[in-house]
Amino acid sequence: SVEAFLLPCILQALGDLEECVVAAALHCLRRFVRKDLISSTARLDVGRRASPLLCHPNAWVRSATVSLVAALHQAQSSAETVCFLLPVLRPLLRPATARRSDLAALASPRALATSLRAPVSRTGFDRA
């Protein structure tokens, strides 16, 4: 099963030092979500683990994470998004966006990308 064997390996790759590996893992997770290969519970776990990468200093990683979050939003009901995904994303959204009660920030990948806080600096990321 995808969740039993592949998903743990791909989730582990999210912490890899090579940013191209992280971006590839995010693209793979997006494909799993779009093809409905993982359960709703696993999708929530993926969203929780991947969301901090929305502030990654590498543009490829950020872009891949935005695509994954957009796929998660499309795969879930509005109730699941409001209850489980938005609380994880709120700290990463600009304050004006985080106060909105609607799902406008998740309407499209572009809307999400423009609603995000500025990425962490490379220096700060490397120190952490």
Side-chain angles (χ1 to χ4, degrees):
S1 159
V2 170
E3 285 186 39
F5 300 106
L6 296 177
L7 191 58
C9 296
I10 295 169
L11 288 174
Q12 185 176 2
L14 294 179
D16 199 278
L17 295 177
E18 289 293 326
E19 293 168 344
C20 62
V21 172
V22 176
L26 290 163
H27 286 300
C28 186
L29 290 170
R30 179 182 49 104
R31 286 187 206 108
F32 284 176
V33 169
R34 284 191 175 166
K35 294 184 183 283
D36 200 26
L37 295 176
I38 56 177
S39 68
S40 177
T41 305
R43 283 195 310 261
L44 296 173
D45 187 43
V46 165
R48 184 182 54 77
R49 290 184 186 212
S51 61
L53 297 173
L54 289 167
C55 290
H56 196 280
N58 184 293
W60 288 357
V61 172
R62 276 194 323 276
S63 176
T65 309
V66 165
S67 295
L68 172 61
V69 170
L72 288 167
H73 171 58
Q74 290 174 351
Q76 299 178 148
S77 69
S78 294
E80 287 176 315
T81 298
V82 169
C83 292
F84 301 113
L85 190 58
L86 276 178
V88 172
L89 296 177
R90 275 198 184 100
L92 307 170
L93 299 175
R94 283 190 267 143
T97 306
R99 283 192 298 267
R100 285 192 272 176
S101 61
D102 62 356
L103 302 174
L106 298 177
S108 69
R110 175 175 276 175
L112 177 58
T114 59
S115 300
L116 292 173
R117 291 181 184 266
V120 176
S121 70
R122 175 58 68 179
T123 307
F125 180 79
D126 290 341
R127 285 184 184 163

